[in-house]
Amino acid sequence: MIRGIIVKQLTKAARLRGPGNVAGVLRAAAALAPQITIKHNYSSKAQPKLTSELYPSVKRNPNYKKLANEDIQFFQSILTENEILQANDKEDLAFYNEDWMRKYRGQSKIVLKPKSVEKISQILKYCNEQKIAVVPQGGNTGLVGGSVPVFDEVVLSVSNLNEIRNFDPVSGILKCDAGVILENADNFLAEHGYIFPLDLGAKGSCHVGGVVACNAGGLRLLRYGSLHGSVLGLEVVLPNGDILNSMHSLRKDNTGYDLKQLFIGSEGTIGIITGVSILTPPRPKAFNVSFLAVNSYEDVQKVFVKAKKELLEILSAFEFMDDKSQQLTKHHLAGVPHPFEESYPFYILIETSGSNKDHDDEKLEKFLESAMEDGLVVDGVVAQDETELRNLWQWRELIPESSQCQGGVYKYDVSLPLKHLYSLVEAANARLSEAALLGDAPKPVIQAVGYGHVGDGNLHLNVAVREYNKQVEKALEPFVYEFVSSKNGSISAEHGLGFQKKNYIGYTKNPQEIKMIKDLKTHFDPNGILNPYKYI
Amino acid sequence: MIRGIIVKQLTKAARLRGPGNVAGVLRAAAALAPQITIKHNYSSKAQPKLTSELYPSVKRNPNYKKLANEDIQFFQSILTENEILQANDKEDLAFYNEDWMRKYRGQSKIVLKPKSVEKISQILKYCNEQKIAVVPQGGNTGLVGGSVPVFDEVVLSVSNLNEIRNFDPVSGILKCDAGVILENADNFLAEHGYIFPLDLGAKGSCHVGGVVACNAGGLRLLRYGSLHGSVLGLEVVLPNGDILNSMHSLRKDNTGYDLKQLFIGSEGTIGIITGVSILTPPRPKAFNVSFLAVNSYEDVQKVFVKAKKELLEILSAFEFMDDKSQQLTKHHLAGVPHPFEESYPFYILIETSGSNKDHDDEKLEKFLESAMEDGLVVDGVVAQDETELRNLWQWRELIPESSQCQGGVYKYDVSLPLKHLYSLVEAANARLSEAALLGDAPKPVIQAVGYGHVGDGNLHLNVAVREYNKQVEKALEPFVYEFVSSKNGSISAEHGLGFQKKNYIGYTKNPQEIKMIKDLKTHFDPNGILNPYKYI
């Protein structure tokens, strides 16, 4: 256990208090692993404009057939009533047409929710022959408008494919339907002493299949690596309706090109993932979380290098937050006390996880002592129990929601070499100030804040706004992408391309890469029926 | 440190002795990580027959142009004298025509060793236009005949591309040429406190690019995962000569299909890897190795599950060996004492690595005590210093060489669900006995032995023979593949398909997968000039 003397050294003025007033956001979890669920919360926000109105330069592709009665009859011939939703007086299909951020709104009049892979196969075969455009949809928690229609595409939701298929407690290999909610999968694994090798804020809504289709990164990537390493097999319905059954459960298999890799991160453009086989690690028995204050981004980097070397095998998250992000979160969590009474320029959240609490405590303690002696860490707290641990995590995990709650947020999720990571936030604020867009109301921008997974070189730049506004968008794009490109970063670290970033891929990928990506799209989906107007 | 009382408990009769007499095999390493290098050793073995004679049903594809003077003149126009080797009275190019196992022999008359990526690009562009078949070659340590010509293909070796390009000590990202020898890369990393996330016996000869092209698994996969997770970028020359510069150094990048994944494990059939960008982890400070005796394969599995849960974050290798493999190795290392005087049915080698030796010792000690109390482990030794650690590893690492040294070896590298892993070895011995092929000389088969990476579900079945023999091959193939297929395993866990397994992919992959793999081959290499007669 963390000993009293160290806690005293670390906490100085600030001590963690009780569970606070964040009801409805934090919930009891199946195990110690921090789990925070962000819920859809449409009610308080205005319905977005139609995407077609907001982006008049994007035109409906006339090659796609407009849905006719005969098509609906075909769908009705293979699906039951419960598997089809049609727009009518009572139902505008808003949930399926609008993205979680309420930035995009499509006009689909029909949502198909097949209960079997074979039905999905029949639907895609038909749509491919008839040239009917289709948007695959999982939990619809994507952040780049990739999972909602742009015009009248048919929405094909996998939410009715939601069974755990198989779990082997010796190897830790889980096989499940694509529509299983991530949190449900993780709770199931917890019962068997295993953990899903990925965690993210939307886990209560997002689907395992969607997570794979978007190659989500999330909070455990530092420890468990990317899905390209942990996914062992996929079942995918191809655009022509063929079913690729590649649900292997082998950790090693060098027989041919690794087909599944192409679908990881393909955002539903070349196939619909219907099943996932994934290697899951044993659930750690001990978790520690410490929340640290540092004086500069320079010091954030130094603490990271030090943590990587000294905490090595037990380091499972290294997140940083700027003070501006904490101010927004304090505002959102009105009354909930922050770990520190004073403000500091930057904060770091370090999570360790391992098999022996005493060993982990000792390592963390030694590391923190040394980091304070070096003057890198100026204040810090260590969670003493599960409640405190969750409370510390909320100050990182609720930033997205806090950035959005005063009107809206422009989110940029970029990869940058570590040394340049924070300079983008400074540059964005400078630019918005110069353009007289940032400040008190009625100026549209509240603040650009930065936080993210330092361990993965992944910055989240959130521009909190009072309303979505073309001027702000113009000030930010392509400015942000140009900045990232100039530092050889990626304009999408983990959120994907979707609708939002389709036209900006050239800031990260070169013409040869783009050509090859386009050629593969055509190779797999010659009629282009899957998730059009997006990705590439 | 491991305390005396425990060592006593564990070692019983057997104690580890000095470094033994394995000169020339073990060598001083740059750091504590166990490193054993297997050297090419042609001299003692007969030159293999020509592949074309051994496999008369495989015909040279007449669509490929036979090399003419004009072609050689073209190569000479872009390459210097040192970059071209031609067969003549003194030079038969045996090193490039024969595989390490001496099972295959091609008839190439020319080896190109360009010193730049641009030259490789020019060569492939020319060969593609002229329809000249090309075999890409790295360190030529492959085990399935994938890196040598079958007929008269031009050998294109990347061995002259052998520079470290860049290393970032903050992120741990290494960029290097494909022809850098794996051991050199690891030694370089050791100087900076990092480690190559893959290790294998051939590390003194194999190339980083070859390792990626073959998606090698090796000894550290249990800890660091597969190359699909750790490779961040590649530079590849495509069959038409185009250079795909995808040398990204970002841990996260979700902008388009992950092109590099297709080349990882493509065995030189759709492009020649010329550069690799890879994420490397900090080098552990502490290594422990224990060598355990167990009574049954059932107990091997139980010890594995226990180790995975109790050693969790510090477990870095879990290897098993049957007694027959140890008998062969004892014969090969004549006079070197085995860790145990008595024989046991199975042995396990467990390696841990971490940041704190005391913690690791304590975890290992507790685990071993408990495993002995449970009756799972019947005897065991723990290395007390680096020399002992290396000596223990040799009993696992020298099995391949020991299997081969009495004449030859048929190697099968398969993935199987853990419960079926060892049954293949028993089935193979039974079959060879029934066919009256196994026994004392002059019977061709000495023994089928089993060992491998339990942690990865990866069995190496080695059939040690006094000579290569068609009857033995017929008894083993497709028997082994059928067995693996019946258990939903993979006929190639880590060695790849190459020439040996080209016709057997159907035992692991289904027709839809095979069709997609073939389509991708055609998509990337419509003239089929790269590494023909192999893979698919």
Side-chain angles (χ1 to χ4, degrees):
Chain A
M1 271 171 289
I2 302 282
R3 283 165 218 140
I5 183 164
I6 296 301
V7 175
K8 207 171 146 196
Q9 271 183 14
L10 288 169
T11 54
K12 289 184 186 162
R15 286 304 308 270
L16 276 174
R17 280 137 296 223
N21 177 27
V22 284
V25 177
L26 296 176
R27 46 160 198 69
L32 258 179
Q35 300 186 335
I36 295 183
T37 303
I38 310 296
K39 294 230 167 80
H40 275 247
N41 189 6
Y42 284 138
S43 56
S44 67
K45 295 175 196 82
Q47 187 173 53
K49 283 189 188 167
L50 289 176
T51 307
S52 60
E53 289 171 7
L54 264 174
Y55 300 91
S57 63
V58 179
K59 303 289 183 202
R60 186 185 182 282
N61 183 338
N63 294 340
Y64 298 128
K65 181 180 176 184
K66 288 199 178 186
L67 219 59
N69 275 340
E70 74 212 25
D71 305 316
I72 293 168
Q73 279 160 16
F74 173 80
F75 297 143
Q76 286 168 336
S77 76
I78 56 166
L79 299 173
T80 63
E81 240 176 66
N82 295 334
E83 294 171 291
I84 305 185
L85 295 178
Q86 289 194 69
N88 55 34
D89 293 347
K90 289 177 200 157
E91 172 67 88
D92 64 356
L93 302 180
F95 178 84
Y96 303 93
N97 272 314
E98 296 172 20
D99 69 315
W100 178 73
M101 300 238 295
R102 303 211 102 181
K103 283 182 68 182
Y104 304 102
R105 181 154 67 98
Q107 304 163 59
S108 184
K109 300 288 180 211
I110 192 161
V111 176
L112 309 180
K113 303 171 85 171
K115 288 188 176 172
S116 78
V117 178
E118 291 67 31
K119 287 180 179 181
I120 295 180
S121 163
Q122 285 174 274
I123 293 165
L124 283 198
K125 185 171 187 293
Y126 179 84
C127 290
N128 190 47
E129 284 164 2
Q130 299 291 323
K131 297 204 174 51
I132 296 170
V134 175
V135 179
Q137 193 174 87
N140 197 11
T141 60
L143 297 171
V144 288
S147 56
V148 287
V150 177
F151 297 100
D152 58 346
E153 302 93 286
V154 169
V155 176
L156 201 157
S157 163
V158 297
S159 54
N160 274 330
L161 296 177
N162 51 21
E163 300 285 329
I164 301 283
R165 297 188 188 179
N166 183 263
F167 180 68
D168 174 13
V170 176
S171 63
I173 295 169
L174 172 76
K175 290 182 178 184
C176 70
D177 287 348
V180 169
I181 287 173
L182 179 59
E183 186 171 55
N184 294 348
D186 192 50
N187 287 345
F188 171 88
L189 288 166
E191 288 166 24
H192 295 83
Y194 284 83
I195 190 169
F196 203 94
L198 177 143
D199 189 22
L200 69 168
K203 75 185 296 178
S205 306
C206 69
H207 293 179
V208 170
V211 155
V212 174
C214 296
N215 189 31
L219 301 169
R220 292 182 190 146
L221 192 130
L222 182 65
R223 178 63 164 274
Y224 299 122
S226 91
L227 292 170
H228 287 287
S230 51
V231 170
L232 300 180
L234 292 177
E235 179 187 70
V236 181
V237 183
L238 301 172
N240 66 2
D242 285 351
I243 298 172
L244 169 65
N245 178 354
S246 209
M247 284 288 279
H248 298 283
S249 54
L250 303 165
R251 186 146 186 197
K252 288 176 171 177
D253 173 22
N254 277 351
T255 56
Y257 311 123
D258 198 350
L259 297 172
K260 68 175 179 284
Q261 301 290 352
L262 279 176
F263 298 94
I264 301 174
S266 66
E267 301 183 32
T269 58
I270 52 175
I272 299 183
I273 295 173
T274 52
V276 174
S277 170
I278 188 164
L279 182 72
T280 71
R283 206 168 190 91
K285 292 167 198 144
F287 285 91
N288 281 326
V289 169
S290 64
F291 199 91
L292 313 174
V294 294
N295 275 329
S296 67
Y297 179 68
E298 192 68 26
D299 286 350
V300 171
Q301 293 176 74
K302 287 182 185 159
V303 177
F304 173 57
V305 173
K306 189 176 171 69
K308 209 164 61 147
K309 300 225 162 177
E310 295 180 16
L311 299 173
L312 196 71
E313 73 275 16
I314 62 165
L315 184 64
S316 55
F318 191 103
E319 303 285 315
F320 94 109
M321 296 135 276
D322 64 6
D323 186 49
K324 292 189 286 283
S325 74
Q326 296 302 285
Q327 298 303 337
L328 285 180
T329 310
K330 283 179 197 173
H331 180 267
H332 184 50
L333 296 181
V336 180
H338 192 263
F340 302 115
E341 283 171 13
E342 293 172 58
S343 286
Y344 297 92
F346 290 93
Y347 303 94
I348 294 168
L349 185 149
I350 289 178
E351 184 195 80
T352 68
S353 57
S355 59
N356 183 312
K357 183 83 167 84
D358 290 347
H359 289 173
D360 293 2
D361 287 353
E362 194 183 321
K363 286 187 182 98
L364 182 60
E365 195 176 300
K366 202 173 148 195
F367 163 78
L368 292 175
E369 263 184 76
S370 154
M372 292 192 88
E373 270 169 28
D374 295 351
L376 296 174
V377 168
V378 291
D379 203 350
V381 292
V382 177
Q384 299 299 295
D385 58 32
E386 200 178 327
T387 304
E388 290 187 3
L389 183 150
R390 289 176 197 287
N391 283 355
L392 289 183
W393 259 113
Q394 73 178 311
W395 294 100
R396 160 62 184 83
E397 266 300 271
L398 292 179
I399 302 173
E401 183 159 309
S402 307
S403 307
Q404 180 166 15
C405 68
Q406 294 182 60
V409 62
Y410 289 91
K411 290 171 81 81
Y412 298 92
D413 148 60
V414 304
S415 279
L416 281 166
L418 274 186
K419 62 182 167 187
H420 301 302
L421 200 70
Y422 195 69
S423 57
L424 174 59
V425 182
E426 295 163 333
N429 273 317
R431 186 171 167 90
L432 292 162
S433 287
E434 279 164 28
L437 294 165
L438 187 152
D440 294 333
K443 286 196 172 141
V445 179
I446 301 163
Q447 193 67 260
V449 310
Y451 63 98
H453 320 294
V454 171
D456 316 326
N458 183 184
L459 173 79
H460 292 300
L461 168 70
N462 277 13
V463 181
V465 294
R466 298 186 175 86
E467 58 174 17
Y468 292 119
N469 173 308
K470 274 276 168 192
Q471 267 183 297
V472 175
E473 195 172 320
K474 274 187 190 159
L476 291 168
E477 296 176 21
F479 168 77
V480 169
Y481 302 131
E482 282 168 356
F483 186 95
V484 169
S485 182
S486 73
K487 311 291 186 201
N488 294 316
S490 169
I491 60 150
S492 182
E494 56 182 12
H495 293 175
L497 293 167
F499 181 82
Q500 185 190 338
K501 298 187 183 175
K502 171 187 159 61
N503 295 326
Y504 301 112
I505 183 173
Y507 287 103
T508 297
K509 294 285 160 74
N510 61 44
Q512 175 69 32
E513 292 173 309
I514 293 171
K515 179 185 178 301
M516 289 175 72
I517 291 169
K518 283 189 171 162
D519 287 351
L520 281 170
K521 166 71 181 174
T522 308
H523 178 81
F524 283 103
D525 184 18
N527 293 331
I529 62 156
L530 275 187
N531 224 0
Y533 317 110
K534 298 167 191 159
Y535 201 70
I536 187 78
Chain B
M1 268 170 289
I2 302 285
R3 283 162 218 143
I5 183 164
I6 298 299
V7 174
K8 206 171 146 196
Q9 272 182 13
L10 289 169
T11 54
K12 289 182 183 166
R15 288 304 310 270
L16 277 173
R17 280 137 297 223
N21 179 25
V22 284
V25 177
L26 297 176
R27 45 160 197 69
L32 259 179
Q35 299 187 336
I36 294 182
T37 303
I38 309 297
K39 293 231 167 80
H40 275 248
N41 188 6
Y42 283 139
S43 56
S44 68
K45 296 175 195 81
Q47 186 173 53
K49 282 189 190 169
L50 289 176
T51 307
S52 60
E53 289 171 7
L54 265 175
Y55 301 89
S57 64
V58 180
K59 304 290 182 201
R60 186 185 181 283
N61 182 339
N63 293 341
Y64 298 127
K65 180 179 177 185
K66 289 198 176 186
L67 219 58
N69 276 339
E70 73 212 24
D71 305 316
I72 293 168
Q73 279 160 15
F74 172 79
F75 298 141
Q76 285 169 335
S77 75
I78 56 165
L79 300 171
T80 63
E81 239 176 66
N82 295 335
E83 294 171 290
I84 305 184
L85 295 178
Q86 290 195 70
N88 55 34
D89 294 347
K90 288 176 198 155
E91 173 65 86
D92 65 356
L93 303 180
F95 178 84
Y96 303 93
N97 272 312
E98 296 173 20
D99 69 314
W100 178 74
M101 300 240 296
R102 303 211 100 181
K103 283 181 69 183
Y104 304 103
R105 181 152 68 97
Q107 304 163 60
S108 183
K109 300 287 181 213
I110 192 161
V111 176
L112 309 180
K113 303 173 83 170
K115 289 187 178 173
S116 77
V117 178
E118 291 66 31
K119 287 180 179 181
I120 294 179
S121 163
Q122 285 175 274
I123 292 165
L124 283 198
K125 185 170 188 293
Y126 180 85
C127 289
N128 190 47
E129 283 163 3
Q130 298 291 320
K131 297 201 172 54
I132 296 169
V134 174
V135 179
Q137 194 174 87
N140 197 11
T141 60
L143 297 170
V144 287
S147 57
V148 289
V150 177
F151 297 100
D152 58 345
E153 301 93 288
V154 169
V155 176
L156 201 157
S157 164
V158 297
S159 55
N160 274 331
L161 296 177
N162 51 22
E163 301 285 330
I164 302 281
R165 295 188 189 179
N166 183 263
F167 179 69
D168 173 14
V170 176
S171 64
I173 295 168
L174 172 76
K175 291 182 176 185
C176 71
D177 287 349
V180 169
I181 288 173
L182 178 59
E183 186 170 57
N184 294 348
D186 192 51
N187 288 344
F188 171 86
L189 288 167
E191 288 167 24
H192 295 83
Y194 285 83
I195 190 168
F196 203 93
L198 177 144
D199 189 22
L200 70 169
K203 76 184 297 179
S205 304
C206 69
H207 292 178
V208 169
V211 154
V212 174
C214 297
N215 189 28
L219 301 169
R220 291 181 192 148
L221 192 128
L222 182 65
R223 179 62 166 275
Y224 300 121
S226 92
L227 292 170
H228 286 287
S230 51
V231 170
L232 301 181
L234 291 177
E235 179 188 71
V236 181
V237 183
L238 301 171
N240 66 1
D242 284 352
I243 299 172
L244 169 65
N245 178 355
S246 208
M247 285 288 278
H248 299 283
S249 55
L250 302 167
R251 186 146 185 195
K252 287 176 170 176
D253 173 22
N254 277 352
T255 56
Y257 311 124
D258 198 350
L259 297 171
K260 66 174 180 286
Q261 300 289 353
L262 279 176
F263 298 94
I264 300 173
S266 66
E267 300 183 33
T269 58
I270 51 174
I272 298 183
I273 294 172
T274 53
V276 174
S277 169
I278 187 166
L279 182 72
T280 71
R283 207 168 191 92
K285 292 167 197 145
F287 285 90
N288 280 326
V289 169
S290 64
F291 199 91
L292 313 174
V294 293
N295 276 330
S296 68
Y297 178 67
E298 192 70 25
D299 286 350
V300 171
Q301 293 175 74
K302 287 181 184 160
V303 176
F304 172 58
V305 174
K306 190 177 170 69
K308 209 164 60 149
K309 300 224 162 178
E310 296 180 16
L311 299 174
L312 195 70
E313 72 274 17
I314 63 166
L315 184 63
S316 57
F318 191 103
E319 303 286 313
F320 94 109
M321 299 134 273
D322 64 6
D323 187 48
K324 292 190 284 281
S325 74
Q326 295 302 284
Q327 298 302 336
L328 285 180
T329 311
K330 284 179 196 172
H331 180 268
H332 183 52
L333 297 181
V336 180
H338 193 262
F340 303 114
E341 282 171 14
E342 292 171 59
S343 286
Y344 298 92
F346 291 93
Y347 303 94
I348 294 168
L349 185 149
I350 289 178
E351 184 194 81
T352 67
S353 56
S355 59
N356 183 312
K357 183 85 168 85
D358 290 347
H359 289 173
D360 293 2
D361 286 354
E362 194 184 319
K363 286 187 182 97
L364 182 60
E365 195 177 297
K366 201 173 148 196
F367 163 78
L368 291 174
E369 263 185 75
S370 154
M372 292 192 87
E373 269 168 27
D374 296 349
L376 295 175
V377 168
V378 290
D379 204 350
V381 292
V382 178
Q384 299 299 295
D385 58 32
E386 198 179 327
T387 305
E388 290 187 3
L389 184 151
R390 290 175 196 289
N391 284 356
L392 290 181
W393 260 112
Q394 75 178 309
W395 294 100
R396 160 63 184 84
E397 267 300 89
L398 292 178
I399 301 171
E401 182 158 309
S402 306
S403 307
Q404 179 166 17
C405 68
Q406 293 182 61
V409 62
Y410 289 91
K411 290 172 83 80
Y412 298 93
D413 148 59
V414 304
S415 279
L416 281 165
L418 272 186
K419 62 182 168 189
H420 300 302
L421 199 72
Y422 195 69
S423 58
L424 173 59
V425 183
E426 294 164 335
N429 274 316
R431 185 170 168 91
L432 292 164
S433 285
E434 278 164 27
L437 293 165
L438 187 153
D440 294 334
K443 285 193 172 145
V445 179
I446 301 163
Q447 193 67 258
V449 310
Y451 63 99
H453 320 293
V454 171
D456 316 325
N458 183 185
L459 174 78
H460 292 300
L461 167 70
N462 277 12
V463 182
V465 294
R466 297 184 176 87
E467 58 175 17
Y468 291 119
N469 173 310
K470 273 276 168 192
Q471 269 182 295
V472 175
E473 194 171 320
K474 275 186 189 160
L476 291 169
E477 295 175 24
F479 169 76
V480 169
Y481 303 131
E482 283 168 355
F483 185 96
V484 170
S485 182
S486 73
K487 311 290 186 201
N488 294 318
S490 169
I491 61 151
S492 182
E494 57 182 13
H495 293 175
L497 292 167
F499 182 81
Q500 186 190 338
K501 298 187 183 173
K502 170 185 160 60
N503 296 325
Y504 302 111
I505 184 172
Y507 286 104
T508 297
K509 294 283 161 76
N510 60 43
Q512 175 69 33
E513 292 174 308
I514 293 171
K515 178 185 178 299
M516 289 174 72
I517 291 169
K518 283 189 171 163
D519 287 350
L520 281 171
K521 166 72 179 174
T522 308
H523 178 81
F524 284 104
D525 184 17
N527 292 332
I529 63 156
L530 274 187
N531 225 359
Y533 317 111
K534 297 167 192 161
Y535 201 69
I536 187 78

